[in-house]
């Protein structure tokens, strides 16, 4: 029984095991579905130009619990027809195919400038990408991060440093600057892309920009916004053996024979293939229109007509596939937006697709409506977040107010408790002096006012006691009085006014003594109790 490949391989090549056309497997399930549609009819391979590649065929695996990836097609017989063992790492990293992406991007960059060049991988493999121009110049993109370039190699017209390649300070100072490239991310169409930069001597950082910002000129490689002088160590272009002393860079020299009509027809097919490879609908349509003109107006042989019709059909199928991809991406984007799910890279991919010349007005209107819907969702989410934040702030302020109120209440209670303790302690300190003063008054057959009691006992503050404090003090004084004897307070409350009577009733009530309800009866009762105290203590 065959076993499925457990490795998460992210890179492959298209077409056959020896292909150098790289592709990157999208990690998102929805992007993988669009990727499959775009590459319908293509095959993916564990190419021998990939590090450790075995040459076996790959398939895509759509996963929701991990990233989507390539996997080897299982062999039903338990063995592989490949003569190479697959020794790709536990995870086929996205950097594995960078040398292929770099080669493809360098070739596309040169073709965009109408420069024909032979691109190759010199030994050791993956150490560099070389481009030999028609005029004999050699461009080397150095990829070896261990060994530096051969800066003094006179056969090399120009060096470009690849990702992670270092240059010594002395060499950079001597050269003045060096061009660099690096790889960034992946596109929505299953590939990584190359970014160019220039590192200058004495500059703190490398300035990065689009690769298209670099241009090949007869004097060297320049950025579109500036030109660099020839370096002292650089061999001038005029000193290199060339078929023409003043060539147009990369173009066919003026003394080259004009291509025959047959060659031009085949060139039209190649231009179409290049446009398809570069994913340029405008150039594909232009090439197809040119073919239609040739088919309609030229006297073609059967084999020539078959080649052009096949190429034209290939271009039409590519445009149809492009239209299907556009419809699929827009539908998937609409589905995700309607479900309020993250559109991931679909939004950017849809915008790119409807920005192409072959996109219909209907598709453009759909994407515009989806963008407005997404913006409304963003606005709604921001408003909801703002409301939540305001509610959270309000709740936090309410919590702070409650906490402050509770702290104030606790502080007030603690202050009241301490005040009560201090008040009780102060009243207790007056109990013995007051009781003693009242006993002496009883022994002498006298009564006392609060002022007289303070004067006789020397207990300061008796006169300034509040009504409640006087009641509490008299209760403390009378607590140890036998139940059959009058309270000591009857000697102090001598007046028959309402405050004195109310005070006696309050003291008696707290000590459980019965008193007369009517004021006249209470006055008589107090007089009798004073006479009794005088008799007992005389």
């Amino acid at each position: 029984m065959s076993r499925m490949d457990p490795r998460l391989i992210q890179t492959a090549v298209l077409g056959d095991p020896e292909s150098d056309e790289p592709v990157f497997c999208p990690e998102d399930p929805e992007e993988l579905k669009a990727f499959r549609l775009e590459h319908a009819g293509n095959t993916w391979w564990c190419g021998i130009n990939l590090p450790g590649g075995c040459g076996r065929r790959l398939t895509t695996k759509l996963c929701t619990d991990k990233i989507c990836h390539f996997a080897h097609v299982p062999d039903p017989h338990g063995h592989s027809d490949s003569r190479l063992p697959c020794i790709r790492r536990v995870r086929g990293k996205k950097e594995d195919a960078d040398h292929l992406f770099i080669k493809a991007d360098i070739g596309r960059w040169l073709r965009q400038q109408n420069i024909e060049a032979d691109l190759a991988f010199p030994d050791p493999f993956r150490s560099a990408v070389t481009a030999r121009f028609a005029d004999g110049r050699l461009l080397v993109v150095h990829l070896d991060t261990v060994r530096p370039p051969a800066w003094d190699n006179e056969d090399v017209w120009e060096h470009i440093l690849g990702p992670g390649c270092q240059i010594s300070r002395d060499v950079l100072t001597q050269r003045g600057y060096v061009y660099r490239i690096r790889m960034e991310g992946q596109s929505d169409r299953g590939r990584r892309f190359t970014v160019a930069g220039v590192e200058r001597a004495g500059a703190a950082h490398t300035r990065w920009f689009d690769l298209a910002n670099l241009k090949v000129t007869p004097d060297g490689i320049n950025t579109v916004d500036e030109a660099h002088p020839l370096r002292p160590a650089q061999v001038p272009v005029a000193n290199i053996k060339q078929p023409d002393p003043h060539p147009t860079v990369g173009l066919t020299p003026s003394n080259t024979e004009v291509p025959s009509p047959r060659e031009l027809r085949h060139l039209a097919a190649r231009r179409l293939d290049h446009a398809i490879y570069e994913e340029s609908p405008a150039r594909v349509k232009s090439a197809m229109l040119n073919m239609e003109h040739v088919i309609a107006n030229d006297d073609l042989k059967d084999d020539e007509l078959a080649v052009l019709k096949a190429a034209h059909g290939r271009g039409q199928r590519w445009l149809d596939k492009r239209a299907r991809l556009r419809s699929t991406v827009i539908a998937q984007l609409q589905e995700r937006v309607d479900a309020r799910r993250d559109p991931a890279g679909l939004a950017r991919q849809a915008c790119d697709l409807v920005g192409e010349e072959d996109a219909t007005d209907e598709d453009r209107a759909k994407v515009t409506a989806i963008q407005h819907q997404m913006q409304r969702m963003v606005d709604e989410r921001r408003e909801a977040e703002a409301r939540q934040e305001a509610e959270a702030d309000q709740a936090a302020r309410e919590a702070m107010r409650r906490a402050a109120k509770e702290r104030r209440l606790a502080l007030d209670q603690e202050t009241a408790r301490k005040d009560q303790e201090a008040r009780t302690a102060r009243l207790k300190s007056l109990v013995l002096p007051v009781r003693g003063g009242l006993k002496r008054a009883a022994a002498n057959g006298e009564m006392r006012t609060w002022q007289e009691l303070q004067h006789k006992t020397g207990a300061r503050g008796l006169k300034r006691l509040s009504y409640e404090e006087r009641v509490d003090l008299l209760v403390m004084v009378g607590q140890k009085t036998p139940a059959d004897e009058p309270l000591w307070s009857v000697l102090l409350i001598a007046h028959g006014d309402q405050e004195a009577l109310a005070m006696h009733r309050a003291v008696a009530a707290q000590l459980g003594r019965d008193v007369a309800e009517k004021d006249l009866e209470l006055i008589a009762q107090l007089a009798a109790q004073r006479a009794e105290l005088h008799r007992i203590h005389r």
Side-chain angles (χ1 to χ4, degrees):
M1 182 177 179
S2 62
R3 297 178 59 190
M4 293 301 293
D5 191 341
R7 292 168 292 182
L8 304 184
I9 299 175
Q10 295 177 274
T11 52
V13 295
L14 285 176
D16 60 74
E18 297 181 359
S19 167
D20 60 0
E21 185 177 349
V23 68
F24 186 92
C25 183
E27 299 179 358
D28 181 80
E30 299 300 329
E31 293 181 6
L32 178 58
K33 292 177 183 178
F35 175 78
R36 286 173 171 175
L37 288 175
E38 184 175 3
H39 290 282
N42 286 335
T43 54
W44 301 289
W45 297 83
C46 185
I48 60 175
N49 287 323
L50 295 171
C54 64
R56 290 168 55 195
R57 188 169 175 178
L58 299 175
T59 185
T60 56
K61 305 293 288 185
L62 191 149
C63 303
T64 57
D65 58 342
K66 55 188 174 183
I67 65 171
C68 301
H69 57 279
F70 290 114
H72 290 82
V73 175
D75 180 28
H77 303 293
H79 61 81
S80 170
D81 56 359
S82 173
R83 291 174 295 176
L84 296 175
C86 188
I87 56 174
R88 299 186 76 176
R89 302 295 184 263
V90 174
R91 180 187 180 103
K93 298 180 180 179
K94 60 186 179 182
E95 294 84 2
D96 287 350
D98 278 357
H99 59 298
L100 299 180
F101 282 120
I102 290 172
K103 180 182 177 184
D105 285 347
I106 292 296
R108 185 180 300 108
W109 168 63
L110 293 174
R111 287 193 300 274
Q112 288 171 349
Q113 301 175 72
N114 296 320
I115 298 175
E116 296 294 336
D118 293 328
L119 277 73
F121 292 117
D123 292 329
F125 186 62
R126 298 178 69 208
S127 64
V129 173
T130 61
R132 177 71 68 176
F133 296 169
D135 56 22
R137 288 176 291 173
L138 179 65
L139 170 66
V140 175
V141 181
H142 187 79
L143 304 178
D144 192 335
T145 59
V146 178
R147 290 184 293 271
W151 300 109
D152 55 352
N153 187 348
E154 296 183 356
D155 293 334
V156 178
W157 171 69
E158 182 61 280
H159 289 276
I160 297 177
L161 293 183
C165 295
Q166 302 299 317
I167 182 172
S168 69
R169 182 177 302 178
D170 292 341
V171 173
L172 183 59
T173 301
Q174 180 183 3
R175 292 176 59 87
Y177 62 92
V178 67
Y179 287 111
R180 290 186 170 276
I181 60 170
R182 70 181 185 191
M183 305 304 296
E184 287 195 354
Q186 75 211 56
S187 74
D188 298 325
R189 300 176 178 85
R191 70 182 311 278
R192 283 159 65 77
F193 53 93
T194 304
V195 176
V198 58
E199 180 181 0
R200 303 181 186 281
H205 304 286
T206 299
R207 184 169 70 92
W208 297 100
F209 40 78
D210 190 275
L211 180 60
N213 198 40
L214 285 184
K215 299 295 180 183
V216 176
T217 71
D219 295 328
I221 299 178
N222 294 332
T223 57
V224 295
D225 56 352
E226 60 181 321
H228 301 291
L230 289 176
R231 305 183 183 96
Q234 185 174 358
V235 179
V237 176
N239 293 342
I240 300 177
K241 293 182 179 180
Q242 302 175 14
D244 191 290
H246 300 289
T248 300
V249 178
L251 298 178
T252 304
S254 58
N255 59 352
T256 302
E257 295 182 1
V258 177
S260 65
R262 182 181 181 88
E263 291 173 340
L264 288 176
R265 292 163 193 154
H266 286 283
L267 180 60
R270 289 202 303 271
R271 285 174 178 169
L272 174 64
D273 290 335
H274 287 162
I276 291 175
Y277 178 69
E278 293 171 2
E279 300 178 344
S280 172
R283 295 184 62 183
V284 169
K285 295 180 94 173
S286 175
M288 291 174 62
L289 289 174
N290 183 45
M291 287 181 183
E292 293 171 2
H293 177 78
V294 172
I295 292 173
N297 297 287
D298 287 7
D299 183 15
L300 302 174
K301 296 181 180 180
D302 290 342
D303 61 338
E304 294 176 334
L305 181 62
V307 169
L308 289 180
K309 284 186 175 181
H312 189 277
R314 189 162 59 250
Q316 187 60 53
R317 287 193 299 274
W318 186 85
L319 290 176
D320 293 342
K321 182 175 66 175
R322 197 76 174 171
R324 291 194 302 271
L325 171 65
R326 185 163 48 247
S327 298
T328 301
V329 170
I330 293 174
Q332 291 173 347
L333 177 61
Q334 184 69 70
E335 180 182 354
R336 282 205 173 194
V337 173
D338 290 342
R340 293 184 173 272
R341 295 167 56 198
D342 182 7
L346 288 174
R348 184 179 64 182
Q349 186 178 6
C351 290
D352 291 344
L353 289 171
V354 297
E356 297 171 350
E357 291 188 7
D358 61 331
T360 64
D361 292 339
E362 181 182 0
D363 286 341
R364 292 191 179 99
K366 288 180 180 179
V367 173
T368 300
I370 294 174
Q371 288 176 324
H372 291 162
Q373 183 179 353
M374 292 172 61
Q375 186 59 51
R376 287 194 300 272
M377 291 170 56
V378 170
D379 294 340
E380 291 172 0
R381 185 177 66 251
R382 288 175 178 172
E383 291 175 0
E385 291 174 351
R387 286 195 301 271
Q388 292 175 356
E389 185 176 354
E391 291 172 358
D393 290 343
Q394 180 65 24
R397 287 193 294 270
E398 291 292 338
M400 292 175 62
R401 282 196 290 267
R402 286 196 301 272
K405 183 177 180 180
E406 291 173 358
R407 287 195 299 270
R408 288 195 301 269
L409 179 59
L411 180 60
D412 292 344
Q413 291 175 344
E414 179 66 15
T415 301
R417 184 187 63 79
K418 291 182 178 180
D419 290 345
Q420 182 62 31
E421 290 178 353
R423 176 178 178 274
T424 301
R426 179 164 53 84
L427 294 179
K428 284 182 177 181
S429 67
L430 297 174
V431 170
L432 292 179
V434 169
R435 184 183 292 137
L438 293 176
K439 282 185 178 181
R440 286 192 292 274
N444 295 329
E446 298 172 347
M447 294 183 298
R448 292 286 186 266
T449 65
W450 288 98
Q451 185 175 2
E452 290 173 343
L453 189 59
Q454 177 176 321
H455 178 72
K456 295 289 185 179
T457 61
R460 297 182 178 180
L462 287 177
K463 183 179 178 181
R464 294 192 300 272
L465 292 179
S466 66
Y467 174 84
E468 291 79 8
E469 289 175 333
R470 290 180 178 182
V471 170
D472 291 342
L473 176 58
L474 294 178
V475 169
M476 293 178 185
V477 170
Q479 281 178 341
K480 295 183 179 181
T481 303
D484 57 346
E485 294 184 4
L487 296 174
W488 293 106
S489 57
V490 300
L491 297 176
L492 188 59
I493 306 173
H495 304 287
D497 56 58
Q498 292 297 322
E499 181 178 346
L501 296 178
M503 186 179 296
H504 184 74
R505 284 192 173 98
V507 173
Q510 291 191 43
L511 293 176
R513 300 294 184 99
D514 296 329
V515 295
E517 294 182 0
K518 296 182 179 181
D519 290 347
L520 292 177
E521 293 177 355
L522 179 56
I523 292 172
Q525 183 182 6
L526 292 175
Q529 290 178 352
R530 283 196 296 272
E532 179 65 17
L533 279 177
H534 291 160
R535 184 187 64 78
I536 293 172
H537 294 283
R538 183 169 298 172

